[in-house]
Amino acid sequence: MRTQVAIIGGGPSGLLLSQLLHGRGIDTVVLERQSRAHVLGRIRAGVLERGLVDLMIEAGVGDRVQREGIPHDGTVISHGDEMFRIDFTALTGQPVTVYGQTEVTRDLYAAREAAGGTLMHGVESVEIQGADTDTPSVSYTLDGQRQHLSCDFVAGCDGFHGISRKTIPETARREFEKVYPFGWLGVLSETPPVHEELIYANSERGFALCSMRNANLSRYYIQCRLDDRPEDWSDSAFWDELRRRIPKPQAESLITGPSIEKSIAPLRSFVTEPMRWGRLFLCGDAAHIVPPTGAKGLNTAASDVHYLYNGLRQFYEDGDSEGINRYSEKALARVWKTERFSWWFSKLMHRFPDQSEFEHKIQLAEIDFLRSNTAAQTAMAQNYVGLPY
Ligand code: FAD
Ligand code: PHB
């Protein structure tokens, strides 16, 4: 079998890249380890930057997100019972869009299918060969049969635990990492959101986030211990703890219900450099991870896709390698800025187990500064709505 671009991983990065390239007549094959139901069952991101929505429109999958996505002109930050608002639209001219990653993926699956794209689920033992030559290839096992796919380029869109990054020899890459001493326990419930905008809550008991998917689907998170397990938290224990961490009026008006999903995500900052090795390009979580506090993971995956798509387009349409040669440099310049923002916002909002009284006071002073200083709010808003590509 042969294709132009072999894409490993059928998450949002791989699907979006495949669909965009298809629009330019560039052939791809997407190899996904999991079933479609498994990919769609993972509850993850919920906030989209304008850049991602624009890419979805360019890929021909923008109708539903424009119709059903909820524009949010700002967000609320609370500390104890104090609340203030960051007005994205007033400060930057741009809102963000609340629309679940599951829906983004669903739209992309539908479009790939309608276009007759090749997307294989349940592939095992994927290996990349010859990425440092002009004739790379990918082998994999499907239904017990070993298969071979030759291609011009390989896009490693296989997430943090994928094989693409590890294919780059250790002597040719550097990794930068920070692991945080806590996780997020998330609950999805068929209840109306507690507030019309997201609430990022700093409290003495730890961080909490009130988010949503639509008018009757809420997503809540609380900072938890790294050794907590979802089954250790009954629904009522979760709701009680959430109420203690958000301002009183919201705690009193919170409508609770049975959780329809409950999971724990550890928090990590991670970057690998470079994001290209020969004809292998890393994209999205395969190359970098951010803690979810700034809502940047999926959005940064999308900016990688933007740079890679345009580089490949330039290569196939104009015979110009400039875009792919500069892919890693351009993607990383933006990645490090979103890493910085996500690290800063995480540091501001969480209780660290080893935090000294001094550090705690500094954190409170910084929240107060953000509450009262327009320049600080503008910087926060510019990063949250998304830095330019
Ligand atoms: P993934 O979604 O991880 O997709 C990679 C795919 O590759 C997977 O489908 C996987 O099954 C497949 N794969 C892995 N290994 C192999 C292999 N060997 N062979 C074949 N296929 C393979 N981001 C935001 O922007 N905003 C948010 O609000 C936000 N909230 C989040 C909340 C939580 C709780 C979590 C966990 C994450 C959140 N994120 C958020 C991050 C976001 O979900 C990720 O950044 C995003 O999924 C990255 O997409 P991806 O396609 O690069 O990787
Ligand atoms: C979500 O709705 O899942 C979500 C929203 C904002 C974040 C992280 C997660 O910062």
Side-chain angles (χ1 to χ4, degrees), residues 8-14 31-34 39 42-47 101 123 126 157-159 161-163 219 221 265 283-286 292 295-299 301:
I8 306 176
S13 306
L31 303 172
E32 167 59 48
R33 188 173 54 179
Q34 305 286 356
V39 175
R42 293 189 298 226
I43 308 298
R44 289 178 162 186
V47 177
Q101 176 169 331
V123 301
V126 176
C157 301
D158 49 353
H161 299 288
I163 53 99
R219 182 69 166 160
Y221 297 94
C283 223
D285 280 15
K296 287 287 156 256
L298 175 59
N299 291 304

Short mmCIF file of all heavy atoms in Angstrom, two decimals, residues 8-14 31-34 39 42-47 101 123 126 157-159 161-163 219 221 265 283-286 292 295-299 301, ligand 1:
data_model
loop_
_atom_site.label_atom_id
_atom_site.label_comp_id
_atom_site.label_asym_id
_atom_site.label_seq_id
_atom_site.Cartn_x
_atom_site.Cartn_y
_atom_site.Cartn_z
N ILE A 8 -0.11 8.69 11.89
CA ILE A 8 -0.26 7.75 13.00
C ILE A 8 -1.05 8.44 14.09
O ILE A 8 -0.63 9.48 14.62
CB ILE A 8 1.11 7.28 13.51
CG1 ILE A 8 1.92 6.72 12.34
CG2 ILE A 8 0.93 6.22 14.61
CD1 ILE A 8 3.32 6.32 12.72
N GLY A 9 -2.21 7.89 14.44
CA GLY A 9 -3.07 8.47 15.46
C GLY A 9 -4.29 9.13 14.86
O GLY A 9 -4.17 10.02 14.02
N GLY A 10 -5.47 8.68 15.29
CA GLY A 10 -6.72 9.24 14.79
C GLY A 10 -7.44 10.03 15.86
O GLY A 10 -8.65 9.96 16.02
N GLY A 11 -6.67 10.82 16.62
CA GLY A 11 -7.26 11.79 17.55
C GLY A 11 -7.50 13.08 16.77
O GLY A 11 -7.41 13.10 15.54
N PRO A 12 -7.78 14.17 17.46
CA PRO A 12 -8.07 15.42 16.74
C PRO A 12 -6.94 15.87 15.82
O PRO A 12 -7.20 16.31 14.69
CB PRO A 12 -8.33 16.44 17.85
CG PRO A 12 -8.13 15.75 19.15
CD PRO A 12 -7.99 14.29 18.91
N SER A 13 -5.66 15.75 16.23
CA SER A 13 -4.57 16.22 15.35
C SER A 13 -4.54 15.44 14.05
O SER A 13 -4.49 16.03 12.97
CB SER A 13 -3.19 15.99 15.99
OG SER A 13 -3.08 16.54 17.23
N GLY A 14 -4.56 14.12 14.15
CA GLY A 14 -4.44 13.27 12.97
C GLY A 14 -5.62 13.45 12.03
O GLY A 14 -5.46 13.56 10.81
N LEU A 31 -3.84 5.77 10.80
CA LEU A 31 -3.76 4.50 11.55
C LEU A 31 -4.05 4.77 13.02
O LEU A 31 -3.30 5.48 13.69
CB LEU A 31 -2.35 3.91 11.42
CG LEU A 31 -1.86 3.66 9.99
CD1 LEU A 31 -0.38 3.26 10.01
CD2 LEU A 31 -2.70 2.57 9.32
N GLU A 32 -5.14 4.24 13.53
CA GLU A 32 -5.53 4.48 14.92
C GLU A 32 -5.57 3.15 15.68
O GLU A 32 -6.17 2.18 15.22
CB GLU A 32 -6.90 5.19 14.96
CG GLU A 32 -7.59 5.24 16.30
CD GLU A 32 -6.81 5.95 17.41
OE1 GLU A 32 -6.29 7.06 17.17
OE2 GLU A 32 -6.69 5.37 18.52
N ARG A 33 -4.96 3.17 16.86
CA ARG A 33 -4.88 1.95 17.66
C ARG A 33 -6.23 1.54 18.27
O ARG A 33 -6.56 0.37 18.34
CB ARG A 33 -3.87 2.22 18.79
CG ARG A 33 -3.53 1.01 19.61
CD ARG A 33 -2.42 1.31 20.57
NE ARG A 33 -2.74 2.47 21.40
CZ ARG A 33 -1.94 2.94 22.34
NH1 ARG A 33 -0.77 2.41 22.56
NH2 ARG A 33 -2.31 3.99 23.06
N GLN A 34 -6.99 2.53 18.68
CA GLN A 34 -8.24 2.24 19.39
C GLN A 34 -9.44 2.16 18.45
O GLN A 34 -9.34 2.55 17.28
CB GLN A 34 -8.53 3.35 20.41
CG GLN A 34 -7.42 3.61 21.40
CD GLN A 34 -7.31 2.53 22.47
OE1 GLN A 34 -8.13 1.61 22.51
NE2 GLN A 34 -6.30 2.65 23.32
N VAL A 39 -12.26 6.29 21.15
CA VAL A 39 -11.78 7.67 20.93
C VAL A 39 -12.88 8.67 21.29
O VAL A 39 -12.63 9.68 21.96
CB VAL A 39 -11.29 7.87 19.47
CG1 VAL A 39 -10.90 9.32 19.22
CG2 VAL A 39 -10.11 6.94 19.16
N ARG A 42 -13.60 9.37 25.17
CA ARG A 42 -12.66 10.09 26.03
C ARG A 42 -13.13 11.53 26.20
O ARG A 42 -13.16 12.29 25.23
CB ARG A 42 -11.25 10.10 25.39
CG ARG A 42 -10.62 8.73 25.33
CD ARG A 42 -9.17 8.82 24.90
NE ARG A 42 -9.00 9.36 23.57
CZ ARG A 42 -8.21 8.84 22.63
NH1 ARG A 42 -7.48 7.78 22.87
NH2 ARG A 42 -8.12 9.40 21.45
N ILE A 43 -13.50 11.89 27.41
CA ILE A 43 -13.97 13.26 27.65
C ILE A 43 -12.76 14.12 27.93
O ILE A 43 -12.05 13.91 28.92
CB ILE A 43 -14.95 13.33 28.84
CG1 ILE A 43 -16.09 12.32 28.68
CG2 ILE A 43 -15.49 14.75 29.03
CD1 ILE A 43 -16.97 12.53 27.47
N ARG A 44 -12.49 15.07 27.07
CA ARG A 44 -11.31 15.92 27.25
C ARG A 44 -11.67 17.39 27.09
O ARG A 44 -12.54 17.87 27.77
CB ARG A 44 -10.22 15.47 26.30
CG ARG A 44 -9.63 14.12 26.72
CD ARG A 44 -8.62 13.70 25.74
NE ARG A 44 -7.70 12.68 26.21
CZ ARG A 44 -6.67 12.28 25.49
NH1 ARG A 44 -6.43 12.82 24.32
NH2 ARG A 44 -5.87 11.35 25.96
N ALA A 45 -11.00 18.05 26.14
CA ALA A 45 -11.09 19.50 26.06
C ALA A 45 -12.50 20.03 25.81
O ALA A 45 -13.35 19.33 25.25
CB ALA A 45 -10.17 19.97 24.95
N GLY A 46 -12.69 21.29 26.18
CA GLY A 46 -14.00 21.89 25.97
C GLY A 46 -13.97 23.32 25.44
O GLY A 46 -15.02 23.88 25.15
N VAL A 47 -12.78 23.91 25.34
CA VAL A 47 -12.70 25.33 24.96
C VAL A 47 -11.84 25.48 23.70
O VAL A 47 -10.68 25.06 23.69
CB VAL A 47 -12.06 26.17 26.11
CG1 VAL A 47 -11.92 27.63 25.69
CG2 VAL A 47 -12.89 26.06 27.39
N GLN A 101 -14.26 18.45 22.66
CA GLN A 101 -13.31 17.73 21.80
C GLN A 101 -14.00 16.52 21.15
O GLN A 101 -13.72 16.18 20.00
CB GLN A 101 -12.11 17.28 22.63
CG GLN A 101 -11.11 16.44 21.85
CD GLN A 101 -9.82 16.24 22.61
OE1 GLN A 101 -9.42 17.07 23.42
NE2 GLN A 101 -9.13 15.15 22.34
N VAL A 123 -5.39 -0.83 14.76
CA VAL A 123 -4.07 -1.25 14.27
C VAL A 123 -3.14 -1.46 15.47
O VAL A 123 -3.21 -0.74 16.47
CB VAL A 123 -3.44 -0.23 13.29
CG1 VAL A 123 -4.33 -0.01 12.08
CG2 VAL A 123 -3.14 1.08 13.96
N VAL A 126 2.51 -0.59 15.58
CA VAL A 126 2.91 0.34 14.52
C VAL A 126 4.41 0.64 14.66
O VAL A 126 4.90 0.90 15.75
CB VAL A 126 2.09 1.65 14.61
CG1 VAL A 126 2.57 2.66 13.57
CG2 VAL A 126 0.61 1.37 14.45
N CYS A 157 0.95 11.74 15.05
CA CYS A 157 -0.14 12.43 15.77
C CYS A 157 -0.68 11.49 16.84
O CYS A 157 -1.89 11.47 17.11
CB CYS A 157 -1.26 12.79 14.80
SG CYS A 157 -0.73 13.86 13.45
N ASP A 158 0.20 10.67 17.44
CA ASP A 158 -0.26 9.57 18.28
C ASP A 158 -0.19 9.86 19.78
O ASP A 158 -0.08 8.93 20.59
CB ASP A 158 0.46 8.26 17.92
CG ASP A 158 1.98 8.41 17.83
OD1 ASP A 158 2.47 9.56 17.92
OD2 ASP A 158 2.67 7.39 17.68
N GLY A 159 -0.28 11.12 20.14
CA GLY A 159 -0.44 11.47 21.55
C GLY A 159 0.81 11.21 22.37
O GLY A 159 1.85 10.77 21.88
N HIS A 161 1.56 8.98 24.62
CA HIS A 161 2.05 7.60 24.81
C HIS A 161 2.32 6.88 23.50
O HIS A 161 2.52 5.67 23.48
CB HIS A 161 1.03 6.81 25.66
CG HIS A 161 0.82 7.41 27.02
ND1 HIS A 161 1.77 7.34 28.01
CD2 HIS A 161 -0.19 8.15 27.52
CE1 HIS A 161 1.34 7.98 29.08
NE2 HIS A 161 0.14 8.49 28.81
N GLY A 162 2.31 7.63 22.40
CA GLY A 162 2.49 7.00 21.08
C GLY A 162 3.93 6.57 20.82
O GLY A 162 4.83 6.77 21.64
N ILE A 163 4.13 6.01 19.62
CA ILE A 163 5.47 5.48 19.28
C ILE A 163 6.29 6.47 18.45
O ILE A 163 7.50 6.30 18.31
CB ILE A 163 5.38 4.14 18.51
CG1 ILE A 163 4.46 4.27 17.30
CG2 ILE A 163 4.88 3.02 19.41
CD1 ILE A 163 5.17 4.47 16.01
N ARG A 219 -19.40 20.19 33.11
CA ARG A 219 -18.13 19.52 33.36
C ARG A 219 -17.47 20.24 34.53
O ARG A 219 -17.26 21.46 34.47
CB ARG A 219 -17.25 19.60 32.12
CG ARG A 219 -15.91 18.91 32.24
CD ARG A 219 -16.03 17.41 32.30
NE ARG A 219 -14.76 16.73 32.08
CZ ARG A 219 -14.54 15.47 32.46
NH1 ARG A 219 -15.48 14.77 33.06
NH2 ARG A 219 -13.38 14.91 32.23
N TYR A 221 -14.30 20.07 37.63
CA TYR A 221 -13.05 19.45 38.04
C TYR A 221 -12.67 19.95 39.44
O TYR A 221 -12.93 21.10 39.77
CB TYR A 221 -11.89 19.85 37.12
CG TYR A 221 -12.02 19.44 35.67
CD1 TYR A 221 -12.56 20.31 34.73
CD2 TYR A 221 -11.56 18.20 35.23
CE1 TYR A 221 -12.65 19.95 33.38
CE2 TYR A 221 -11.64 17.84 33.89
CZ TYR A 221 -12.19 18.71 32.97
OH TYR A 221 -12.28 18.36 31.64
N ALA A 265 -6.98 13.04 35.74
CA ALA A 265 -5.88 13.33 34.81
C ALA A 265 -4.72 13.90 35.62
O ALA A 265 -4.91 14.85 36.38
CB ALA A 265 -6.34 14.33 33.76
N CYS A 283 3.23 16.01 15.98
CA CYS A 283 2.13 16.97 16.01
C CYS A 283 1.29 16.76 17.27
O CYS A 283 0.95 15.62 17.60
CB CYS A 283 1.26 16.62 14.81
SG CYS A 283 0.69 17.99 13.88
N GLY A 284 0.95 17.82 17.98
CA GLY A 284 0.04 17.71 19.13
C GLY A 284 0.70 17.07 20.33
O GLY A 284 1.90 17.22 20.58
N ASP A 285 -0.11 16.29 21.09
CA ASP A 285 0.36 15.70 22.35
C ASP A 285 1.55 14.75 22.15
O ASP A 285 2.24 14.43 23.12
CB ASP A 285 -0.78 14.92 23.03
CG ASP A 285 -1.74 15.83 23.80
OD1 ASP A 285 -1.71 17.06 23.58
OD2 ASP A 285 -2.52 15.31 24.62
N ALA A 286 1.81 14.31 20.94
CA ALA A 286 3.00 13.47 20.69
C ALA A 286 4.27 14.27 20.99
O ALA A 286 5.30 13.69 21.34
CB ALA A 286 3.01 12.99 19.23
N PRO A 292 -4.01 21.17 32.03
CA PRO A 292 -5.23 21.65 31.37
C PRO A 292 -5.72 23.03 31.82
O PRO A 292 -6.67 23.56 31.23
CB PRO A 292 -6.26 20.57 31.71
CG PRO A 292 -5.73 19.87 32.91
CD PRO A 292 -4.25 19.99 32.88
N ALA A 295 -6.53 25.52 29.16
CA ALA A 295 -7.31 25.00 28.02
C ALA A 295 -6.52 25.05 26.71
O ALA A 295 -7.03 25.43 25.67
CB ALA A 295 -8.65 25.74 27.87
N LYS A 296 -5.26 24.68 26.78
CA LYS A 296 -4.38 24.89 25.63
C LYS A 296 -3.98 23.63 24.85
O LYS A 296 -3.42 23.73 23.76
CB LYS A 296 -3.08 25.59 26.08
CG LYS A 296 -3.27 27.05 26.42
CD LYS A 296 -3.47 27.88 25.16
CE LYS A 296 -4.21 29.16 25.40
NZ LYS A 296 -5.61 29.15 24.95
N GLY A 297 -4.22 22.43 25.40
CA GLY A 297 -3.71 21.20 24.76
C GLY A 297 -4.21 21.02 23.34
O GLY A 297 -3.42 20.95 22.38
N LEU A 298 -5.51 20.93 23.18
CA LEU A 298 -6.10 20.72 21.87
C LEU A 298 -5.80 21.90 20.95
O LEU A 298 -5.53 21.73 19.76
CB LEU A 298 -7.62 20.54 22.03
CG LEU A 298 -8.44 20.42 20.76
CD1 LEU A 298 -8.02 19.24 19.93
CD2 LEU A 298 -9.94 20.31 21.11
N ASN A 299 -5.83 23.09 21.51
CA ASN A 299 -5.59 24.29 20.70
C ASN A 299 -4.15 24.35 20.19
O ASN A 299 -3.90 24.83 19.08
CB ASN A 299 -5.94 25.54 21.52
CG ASN A 299 -7.43 25.64 21.75
OD1 ASN A 299 -8.20 25.65 20.80
ND2 ASN A 299 -7.86 25.68 23.01
N ALA A 301 -2.31 21.65 19.68
CA ALA A 301 -2.28 20.59 18.66
C ALA A 301 -2.74 21.19 17.33
O ALA A 301 -2.16 20.94 16.27
CB ALA A 301 -3.17 19.43 19.07
P1 FAD B 1 -4.67 12.47 21.33
O1 FAD B 1 -6.01 13.05 21.52
O2 FAD B 1 -4.01 11.80 22.47
O3 FAD B 1 -4.79 11.44 20.12
C1 FAD B 1 -3.75 10.53 19.79
C2 FAD B 1 -4.36 9.30 19.16
O4 FAD B 1 -3.32 8.41 18.79
C3 FAD B 1 -5.27 8.55 20.13
O5 FAD B 1 -6.53 8.35 19.52
C4 FAD B 1 -4.53 7.25 20.40
O6 FAD B 1 -5.41 6.17 20.61
C5 FAD B 1 -3.70 7.09 19.14
N1 FAD B 1 -2.48 6.30 19.32
C6 FAD B 1 -1.63 6.30 20.39
N2 FAD B 1 -0.62 5.45 20.19
C7 FAD B 1 -0.81 4.89 18.97
C8 FAD B 1 -0.10 3.94 18.20
N3 FAD B 1 1.03 3.38 18.66
N4 FAD B 1 -0.58 3.59 17.00
C9 FAD B 1 -1.72 4.15 16.53
N5 FAD B 1 -2.45 5.08 17.20
C10 FAD B 1 -2.00 5.43 18.41
N6 FAD B 1 -7.04 20.93 25.60
C11 FAD B 1 -7.60 22.13 25.26
O7 FAD B 1 -7.16 22.74 24.28
N7 FAD B 1 -8.65 22.68 25.97
C12 FAD B 1 -9.17 22.05 27.05
O8 FAD B 1 -10.16 22.55 27.61
C13 FAD B 1 -8.57 20.79 27.47
N8 FAD B 1 -9.05 20.11 28.53
C14 FAD B 1 -8.52 18.89 28.83
C15 FAD B 1 -9.05 18.22 29.91
C16 FAD B 1 -8.56 16.96 30.25
C17 FAD B 1 -9.14 16.26 31.44
C18 FAD B 1 -7.51 16.35 29.46
C19 FAD B 1 -6.98 14.97 29.80
C20 FAD B 1 -6.99 17.03 28.38
C21 FAD B 1 -7.48 18.29 28.05
N9 FAD B 1 -6.98 19.00 26.96
C22 FAD B 1 -7.50 20.23 26.66
C23 FAD B 1 -5.90 18.44 26.15
C24 FAD B 1 -6.40 17.79 24.83
O9 FAD B 1 -7.37 16.82 25.12
C25 FAD B 1 -5.22 17.15 24.08
O10 FAD B 1 -4.20 18.10 23.93
C26 FAD B 1 -5.63 16.62 22.68
O11 FAD B 1 -6.38 15.43 22.80
C27 FAD B 1 -4.42 16.34 21.78
O12 FAD B 1 -4.83 15.75 20.58
P2 FAD B 1 -3.89 14.76 19.79
O13 FAD B 1 -4.67 14.33 18.59
O14 FAD B 1 -2.57 15.40 19.58
O15 FAD B 1 -3.63 13.55 20.78
#
